[in-house]
Amino acid sequence: MGAVVLRDIEKLYGDTIACTDINLSINEGEFFTFLGPSGCGKTTILRLIAGFVQPKKGTIHLGRRDITNLEAEKRQVGMVFQNYALFPFMTVAGNIEYGLKIQKKSKKERAERVEKYTEMVGLIGFEHRNISELSGGEQQRVALARSLAIEPKVLLLDEPLSNLDARLRDRMRSELKSLQKKLGITTIFVTHDQTEALTMSDRVAVFEKGRCIQVGSPEEIYAHPINSFVARFIGDTNLFAADIKNGTASLSDMVAISLETQASGRFISIRPQDIVFSTAQDDRPNVFPAKVDTIQFDGSSVEYSVKVHDISFRLTILNTSTLCHNITVGEDVHIAIAEKSIKVLDS
Ligand SMILES: Nc1ncnc2c1ncn2[C@@H]1O[C@H](COP(=O)(O)OP(=O)(O)OP(=O)(O)O)[C@@H](O)[C@H]1O
Ligand SMILES: [Mg+2]
């Protein structure tokens, strides 16, 4: 049983609250991601699950077993550290074998597992190399093989892709994901990269300042962020403080947007792809005259910044439309914002 349940977990370092009020249930076989900015407590929670630090309060269960006070070596949890933490003076095989020696596996079993996991991560032929003779991507694979070799019930990955260049990161992302699915191993993946979180995860937990503020599928979190922090952190957005009443959000004296709901709140969030160019003849609500401020071409899409009176909006248009090429900086245009794409947020 590889389900992980954290109940009311809190960890302090001196006066610093590293994490508090953490209640999470991670399902067996799930690819679960912790997403949040630097210092929000992601590594601390992994270390608590692995048993390298103890919580001030709360419990941790792995399957039915309460592991809160169990020694790290007995937890059947594998961890790939943020900086890999490989043993620099050992070979690739020596690193992969390390946890198996701690577990006092027989020589034969150790050799079999080293071969199996070296092959799984694509490092056959590298067994006798020293760690200092490997690239960043190869080191990342050794770290992964080392943590998989003990055949843990739970795999903890602390920003394993952050040291890799963009192309290798893309490749490792899909390799890691397919390996995880193949092994069916419960995996907690830490990142502060929203693309990684959205593309790889079954569910994502978003953290801010030691607290978990939202848990959901990537689609849920993207479409229904619980507050302005999540809306900004997951995907690009136009976020405005607004005076919201009677189904209208006033962004300034000059700009008022009509809403689909009568909901109250303090902010509105509109994704850049939910604003489109329109015409003066468009008689839907929320069509505004605007002036184009900047145009940024990014290959597959074009980002426009336009001004409606004193308020700037960003629009992203896929680079398939001939419209993209006709619009120029300084031009007078119209934009349309669909009411249903506007999210009203309390905080
Ligand atoms: N050993 C420690 N001693 C004292 N404070 C610590 C220790 N480890 C972490 N902290 C503090 O606890 C908080 C959470 O740290 P943590 O390493 O969990 O953050 P993180 O989300 O993993 O950040 P990053 O994305 O930068 O890795 C931070 O304020 C950090 O300074
Ligand atoms: Mg960290």
Side-chain angles (χ1 to χ4, degrees), residues 51-310:
F52 301 132
V53 290
Q54 284 297 306
K56 178 165 178 278
K57 62 173 191 178
T59 59
I60 304 172
H61 281 75
L62 175 51
R64 290 211 188 91
R65 190 170 184 198
D66 183 342
I67 60 165
T68 318
N69 298 310
L70 194 67
E71 296 110 274
E73 311 81 75
K74 296 191 179 150
R75 290 197 181 193
Q76 295 178 286
V77 171
M79 179 154 169
V80 173
F81 294 88
Q82 201 158 356
N83 54 3
Y84 307 151
L86 294 169
F87 305 115
F89 303 111
M90 278 186 199
T91 60
V92 168
N95 268 275
I96 298 173
E97 192 183 16
Y98 180 80
L100 301 168
K101 281 189 168 162
I102 302 266
Q103 286 184 340
K104 301 201 167 47
K105 299 284 182 211
S106 69
K107 199 169 177 192
K108 178 167 172 284
E109 190 167 2
R110 294 198 314 257
E112 283 167 6
R113 293 242 197 131
V114 168
E115 191 186 338
K116 175 175 170 188
Y117 290 97
T118 306
E119 192 194 342
M120 195 175 282
V121 299
L123 284 178
I124 291 289
F126 287 71
E127 294 88 334
H128 303 294
R129 285 233 201 145
N130 278 319
I131 297 304
S132 58
E133 297 165 340
L134 300 179
S135 73
E138 288 155 359
Q139 289 185 28
Q140 196 267 346
R141 288 159 195 261
V142 178
L144 186 61
R146 183 176 66 177
S147 59
L148 286 173
I150 60 168
E151 303 195 338
K153 289 186 173 164
V154 179
L155 181 62
L156 308 177
L157 302 170
D158 197 354
E159 307 207 30
L161 309 180
S162 60
N163 295 336
L164 309 180
D165 69 51
R167 193 179 286 258
L168 187 57
R169 192 160 61 224
D170 274 358
R171 202 176 86 217
M172 287 308 293
R173 213 185 265 164
S174 47
E175 279 187 22
L176 195 56
K177 177 77 195 180
S178 58
L179 188 62
Q180 188 267 343
K181 279 280 163 267
K182 189 168 100 188
L183 296 173
I185 186 169
T186 310
T187 299
I188 304 178
F189 180 88
V190 164
T191 183
H192 51 241
D193 180 321
Q194 49 147 320
T195 312
E196 255 168 49
L198 293 176
T199 53
M200 298 177 77
S201 321
D202 295 317
R203 282 190 303 155
V204 179
V206 185
F207 291 86
E208 184 188 19
K209 294 184 188 147
R211 289 175 185 274
C212 176
I213 32 184
Q214 189 168 7
V215 179
S217 69
E219 295 81 3
E220 277 162 9
I221 292 199
Y222 187 82
H224 305 291
I226 196 167
N227 64 17
S228 54
F229 173 81
V230 178
R232 249 179 320 192
F233 207 76
I234 311 260
D236 202 6
T237 197
N238 288 280
L239 188 73
F240 301 102
D243 182 13
I244 299 169
K245 50 178 174 274
N246 304 328
T248 300
S250 300
L251 309 192
S252 71
D253 291 342
M254 309 288 284
V255 182
I257 295 183
S258 105
L259 305 172
E260 197 182 42
T261 78
Q262 295 287 322
S264 61
R266 290 175 48 222
F267 296 92
I268 59 164
S269 166
I270 310 165
R271 300 288 183 193
Q273 69 273 23
D274 288 327
I275 307 179
V276 295
F277 288 111
S278 178
T279 62
Q281 290 74 44
D282 193 333
D283 58 2
R284 288 177 298 174
N286 297 332
V287 173
F288 301 100
K291 195 180 258 311
V292 178
D293 234 359
T294 62
I295 301 178
Q296 201 176 316
F297 177 67
D298 129 34
S300 58
S301 62
V302 186
E303 185 177 302
Y304 299 87
S305 169
V306 306
K307 238 178 175 157
V308 176
H309 298 291
D310 48 343

